[in-house]
Amino acid sequence: MDATEDNLPAGFRFAGVTCGIKASGKSDLSLIVTDHPVTAAGVYTKNQIVAAPVTLCRSRTPTNKLRAVVTNSGNANACTGDQGMADARSMCDEVAKRIGCDPEAVLVMSTGVIGRPLPMEKITAGIDMASKELASDPPAFVRAAEAIRTTDAERKTVTRAIQIGQRTIKFAAMAKGAGMIAPNMATMLAVMMTDAPLSAESIKDVLTEAADCSFNRVSVDGHTSTNDSLLLLASGQGDPLVGDELLQFQSHINEVAIALAKQLVEDGEGAVHTMWIQVRGAANTDAAATIAKTIAASPLVKTAITGGDPNWGRIVSAAGYSDAKIEPTKTSLKICGEEIYRGGTPIPFDAKSLSAKMRANKEVPIELTVGEGAGAADYWSSDLTCDYVRFNSEYTT
Amino acid sequence: MDATEDNLPAGFRFAGVTCGIKASGKSDLSLIVTDHPVTAAGVYTKNQIVAAPVTLCRSRTPTNKLRAVVTNSGNANACTGDQGMADARSMCDEVAKRIGCDPEAVLVMSTGVIGRPLPMEKITAGIDMASKELASDPPAFVRAAEAIRTTDAERKTVTRAIQIGQRTIKFAAMAKGAGMIAPNMATMLAVMMTDAPLSAESIKDVLTEAADCSFNRVSVDGHTSTNDSLLLLASGQGDPLVGDELLQFQSHINEVAIALAKQLVEDGEGAVHTMWIQVRGAANTDAAATIAKTIAASPLVKTAITGGDPNWGRIVSAAGYSDAKIEPTKTSLKICGEEIYRGGTPIPFDAKSLSAKMRANKEVPIELTVGEGAGAADYWSSDLTCDYVRFNSEYTT
């Protein structure tokens, strides 16, 4: 998933440095700077407990004058009160000073332990260092993506070049997150960048739709952190995309977002298998997503996937207790493409061979039809293993 | 928890027999017969996929002419279509024939594997056997309670005698359930019996209130089965309880229901510790219950309890993503009586000694205040261990 020179969008420079926030000595400060003011939007955690950087970003997006995003890992700046707000602001101020822009044009994200004040001296030094190392080449992009990791086993990036009419449009995106890890409440952070021209009016809608079909459709343990943030920066100049071009762009950015979001699930704590839950026939998209989410969050479904068990009872009954309506006599289920439940009744199948198929697939497709409606939704989730339990029950506070 | 002769309510006879539904050879058919018609009510699963016996019971309760409850374990009679309905009816008919009553006066419950037809020949023979062994003594009550078990490690019964004014009122209750186990979708079943006189008008309300503060406030894995049923039978004759006496009765039956429901959590699959989640200061009872349920279902909170980790971040952030409103700056938390988070800010505490306290307690009290409202709710949940994962990921379909 490494970025290549060919498909990094123009207009962005990157840096990732080590400034000593993490005891591990791994890189912990990431900086993205744009060559000129760009349009930007964000979608943020729905948790009622909100970290200071999220509050600040919310107040500064959407915007058409964004110049930089600074992110630290190792400390989430959450549950830190007034000092936390002052520190988040100060991080933006320090960046603004060095690149010569309005502090309001800078966004900030944080991830790591909560309830502790940021080590501002280290962070300021890190910002200084990063601002001197900015570069637009792929290694710089990778360094920026590395510096936002916490417990992630893998770096998460997506780069892509697509064609819309005569235009070539590029994407580069990075994310971090592998479940909520105490005391980190580890957080999902992601930045998507493109050189497409987007208006300040449309960028929020574009991002919201992309988030709804990707980051809002993945689950490791169903725990929404206090820091979750997803940003979209669009550096393209000239006439913004409209009409059919904008629609085409939307479908491409949705795919980029899904590719990035799926990396979170694949790297889920302790995950061995993932599920691709496809709900069809619901009353509408929301209903389909509600059903899919309920299945995705069921410990019994998750452990069935862990064990390679084609357990239709757990899946169908999870759909049955979701808050969305299903039609029991029109409910059918396929696992790995094989139909094992049709119209409300189990149908005979070779459990041994289907189990072998499930075990052989890293991603197990689950197709559930719940009626004859037009509502459809896809959802991705990790399984539940002893490693997840071990990882999260080790004493950490 | 064994019943003694002193506190079994009058008017009930019991039997528990082995008729060969379970391959294990353990007892699998339970019969409760009343000496005369009694009032009865039921509350049932909210799952949209509903087993045949639940459909039948729903249509026959509340009633003031109940004569018997027959329960089989080893087969849930769920997802069995028209044959399932016919079989459920037939079980009641067989009981009615033998005790001499209207088939409508008989209720039926089933638990065990789903999607397979009931072995009706065995069951009919079992009903015949049970109807000849009915007795009102404690060993018979215990046999009836044994015969409804599936994967329960422990038998679950509560017996109690209480005083209301000059009256002595007795309770005897039995339950089964330890989580949803595939392919069993193992189900919670419970029957509470009392010799209090209750009117057919009040018994449904009494049971609903008792269920709301007990069985609806416990969680092992959050999976609502297709068969969950809770029945209340009241054999008392003469003037029904009203006014203050009914209120007193309500508070006692709530306690009986809570004592029984807590046994489900304590016997939760793989459970080592349980949590007693006490939410206070919410807008109303429903809001408090929603917050408590969200905490109870969080795999991160569950694994923190497994690990004896006083992880306030996981608990507070779970409350924050519940569907009910919290006031972050008025949120405080105690674990094992020790305050570690106050008014939205963590406060220093000795993590090592608090962790030792958590490990030493079989039941870990978690007191969360989320504002200044009057809404309060208690909730009980098991922790999440590797044994749970192992138990549920072993190949079983």
Side-chain angles (χ1 to χ4, degrees):
Chain A
M1 287 287 189
D2 281 4
T4 66
E5 233 153 316
D6 278 351
N7 45 22
L8 279 187
F12 300 95
R13 284 173 298 150
F14 312 94
V17 301
T18 305
C19 67
I21 311 170
K22 287 179 183 162
S24 66
K26 292 188 177 161
S27 67
D28 45 20
L29 194 125
S30 171
L31 184 60
I32 299 171
V33 173
T34 66
D35 295 340
H36 53 82
V38 304
T39 51
V43 294
Y44 306 100
T45 182
K46 284 169 187 153
N47 202 307
Q48 298 172 75
I49 311 263
V50 171
V54 172
T55 303
L56 195 65
C57 282
R58 267 200 189 126
S59 74
R60 292 181 177 178
T61 51
T63 173
N64 57 5
K65 57 166 200 180
L66 184 99
R67 286 297 317 283
V69 179
V70 59
T71 307
N72 74 277
S73 54
N75 185 316
N77 193 12
C79 297
T80 43
D82 294 341
Q83 186 62 46
M85 275 309 297
D87 289 346
R89 254 194 209 96
S90 167
M91 283 177 72
C92 297
D93 295 350
E94 295 295 333
V95 171
K97 253 193 274 179
R98 281 163 184 84
I99 66 168
C101 74
D102 181 352
E104 296 275 326
V106 183
L107 300 179
V108 57
M109 306 196 291
S110 296
T111 177
V113 299
I114 64 165
R116 294 191 206 153
L118 285 178
M120 283 307 292
E121 205 167 315
K122 290 174 181 172
I123 286 179
T124 306
I127 289 170
D128 193 61
M129 210 185 321
S131 66
K132 290 169 181 159
E133 292 187 11
L134 289 163
S136 59
D137 57 0
F141 171 69
V142 166
R143 282 194 296 274
E146 285 287 347
I148 66 173
R149 282 169 69 169
T150 52
T151 59
D152 306 66
E154 306 288 341
R155 178 177 71 239
K156 297 167 181 71
T157 59
V158 171
T159 58
R160 197 167 287 184
I162 56 117
Q163 208 63 32
I164 295 183
Q166 300 307 308
R167 299 178 201 249
T168 300
I169 284 174
K170 292 174 184 170
F171 293 97
M174 60 180 74
K176 60 86 45 183
M180 284 259 316
I181 306 124
N184 296 11
M185 310 218 303
T187 287
M188 192 288 296
L189 299 182
V191 186
M192 298 201 290
M193 289 156 279
T194 178
D195 52 14
L198 293 180
S199 69
E201 290 69 42
S202 66
I203 190 167
K204 182 67 195 292
D205 291 343
V206 165
L207 180 61
T208 301
E209 180 176 329
D212 277 346
C213 70
S214 60
F215 293 98
N216 289 339
R217 295 281 179 82
V218 296
S219 165
V220 172
D221 52 26
H223 209 105
T224 311
S225 100
T226 53
N227 291 52
D228 291 347
S229 299
L230 166 64
L231 303 178
L232 170 60
L233 320 183
S235 67
Q237 292 178 299
D239 289 343
L241 298 178
V242 291
D244 183 57
E245 287 193 336
L246 187 58
L247 285 176
Q248 284 185 55
F249 178 80
Q250 182 74 58
S251 118
H252 286 291
I253 194 172
N254 291 356
E255 280 175 30
V256 170
I258 288 170
L260 196 59
K262 281 176 70 171
Q263 292 182 42
L264 300 176
V265 172
E266 285 159 11
D267 198 15
E269 290 163 7
V272 175
H273 292 275
T274 62
M275 306 172 236
W276 174 20
I277 302 163
Q278 302 154 70
V279 174
R280 303 290 179 261
N284 53 47
T285 307
D286 282 353
T290 297
I291 293 163
K293 185 182 176 179
T294 305
I295 295 168
S298 161
L300 282 171
V301 173
K302 282 170 173 283
T303 48
I305 302 304
T306 306
D309 179 4
N311 194 309
W312 56 268
R314 294 183 184 180
I315 296 167
V316 169
S317 66
Y321 74 74
S322 86
D323 287 333
K325 202 172 149 25
I326 67 166
E327 294 183 69
T329 60
K330 291 175 183 164
T331 294
S332 302
L333 176 71
K334 286 182 194 173
I335 298 181
C336 292
E338 195 169 329
E339 193 171 40
I340 60 175
Y341 192 83
R342 187 191 300 148
T345 309
I347 55 182
F349 66 98
D350 180 344
K352 213 168 162 181
S353 93
L354 182 49
S355 176
K357 233 191 265 183
M358 291 171 72
R359 287 164 192 271
N361 275 291
K362 166 80 185 156
E363 179 180 84
V364 176
I366 295 172
E367 298 165 75
L368 182 73
T369 303
V370 298
E372 293 168 342
D378 287 16
Y379 212 99
W380 294 268
S381 173
S382 52
D383 60 359
L384 175 59
T385 65
C386 272
D387 280 349
Y388 177 91
V389 173
R390 267 186 224 111
F391 195 59
N392 284 296
S393 62
E394 276 166 15
Y395 180 65
T396 48
T397 299
Chain B
M1 287 286 189
D2 281 5
T4 67
E5 233 153 313
D6 278 352
N7 46 22
L8 280 186
F12 299 95
R13 284 173 300 150
F14 312 94
V17 301
T18 304
C19 67
I21 311 170
K22 286 179 184 162
S24 66
K26 291 189 178 161
S27 66
D28 43 20
L29 194 124
S30 171
L31 184 60
I32 300 171
V33 172
T34 65
D35 295 340
H36 54 80
V38 304
T39 52
V43 294
Y44 306 102
T45 181
K46 285 169 187 155
N47 202 305
Q48 299 172 75
I49 311 263
V50 171
V54 172
T55 302
L56 195 65
C57 283
R58 265 201 190 125
S59 74
R60 294 181 175 178
T61 51
T63 173
N64 55 5
K65 56 168 198 179
L66 184 98
R67 285 298 316 283
V69 179
V70 58
T71 307
N72 75 277
S73 54
N75 185 315
N77 193 13
C79 297
T80 44
D82 293 342
Q83 185 61 47
M85 274 310 296
D87 288 346
R89 255 195 209 94
S90 166
M91 283 177 72
C92 296
D93 294 352
E94 296 294 334
V95 171
K97 252 193 275 178
R98 282 163 184 83
I99 66 167
C101 74
D102 181 351
E104 296 275 327
V106 183
L107 299 180
V108 57
M109 305 195 291
S110 297
T111 176
V113 298
I114 64 166
R116 296 193 205 152
L118 285 178
M120 283 306 293
E121 205 168 314
K122 289 175 182 172
I123 286 178
T124 305
I127 288 171
D128 193 59
M129 210 186 319
S131 66
K132 292 169 179 160
E133 291 186 13
L134 289 164
S136 60
D137 57 359
F141 170 71
V142 166
R143 283 194 295 273
E146 284 287 347
I148 66 173
R149 282 169 67 170
T150 52
T151 58
D152 306 67
E154 305 287 341
R155 178 175 74 238
K156 296 166 181 71
T157 59
V158 171
T159 58
R160 197 168 287 184
I162 55 117
Q163 208 63 34
I164 295 183
Q166 299 306 308
R167 300 179 200 249
T168 301
I169 284 173
K170 292 174 184 171
F171 293 96
M174 60 179 74
K176 60 86 47 183
M180 285 257 317
I181 304 125
N184 297 9
M185 309 218 302
T187 288
M188 192 289 294
L189 299 182
V191 186
M192 298 201 289
M193 288 156 281
T194 178
D195 53 13
L198 292 180
S199 69
E201 290 69 43
S202 65
I203 189 167
K204 181 68 197 290
D205 292 342
V206 165
L207 180 61
T208 301
E209 180 176 329
D212 278 346
C213 71
S214 60
F215 293 97
N216 289 339
R217 295 282 179 80
V218 296
S219 166
V220 171
D221 51 28
H223 208 105
T224 310
S225 99
T226 53
N227 290 53
D228 291 347
S229 299
L230 166 63
L231 303 177
L232 171 59
L233 319 182
S235 67
Q237 293 178 298
D239 289 343
L241 297 177
V242 292
D244 184 56
E245 286 193 335
L246 186 59
L247 285 177
Q248 283 184 56
F249 177 81
Q250 182 74 61
S251 117
H252 285 292
I253 195 172
N254 290 356
E255 280 175 30
V256 170
I258 289 171
L260 196 59
K262 282 175 69 172
Q263 291 182 43
L264 301 175
V265 172
E266 285 160 11
D267 198 15
E269 290 163 6
V272 175
H273 292 275
T274 62
M275 305 172 238
W276 174 20
I277 302 163
Q278 302 153 70
V279 174
R280 303 290 179 262
N284 52 48
T285 307
D286 282 353
T290 298
I291 293 163
K293 185 183 176 179
T294 306
I295 296 168
S298 162
L300 282 171
V301 172
K302 282 170 172 284
T303 48
I305 302 304
T306 306
D309 178 4
N311 194 307
W312 56 268
R314 294 184 185 179
I315 296 168
V316 169
S317 66
Y321 74 74
S322 87
D323 286 334
K325 200 171 148 28
I326 67 166
E327 294 183 69
T329 59
K330 290 175 183 164
T331 294
S332 301
L333 176 71
K334 287 182 193 174
I335 298 182
C336 293
E338 195 169 328
E339 192 171 41
I340 61 176
Y341 192 82
R342 188 191 300 150
T345 308
I347 56 183
F349 66 99
D350 180 345
K352 212 167 164 185
S353 93
L354 182 49
S355 176
K357 234 192 264 184
M358 291 171 71
R359 287 163 192 269
N361 275 291
K362 164 82 185 154
E363 179 180 87
V364 177
I366 295 172
E367 299 164 74
L368 182 72
T369 303
V370 297
E372 292 167 342
D378 286 16
Y379 212 100
W380 293 268
S381 173
S382 51
D383 59 0
L384 174 59
T385 65
C386 271
D387 279 350
Y388 177 92
V389 173
R390 270 188 222 111
F391 195 60
N392 284 297
S393 62
E394 276 166 15
Y395 180 66
T396 49
T397 297

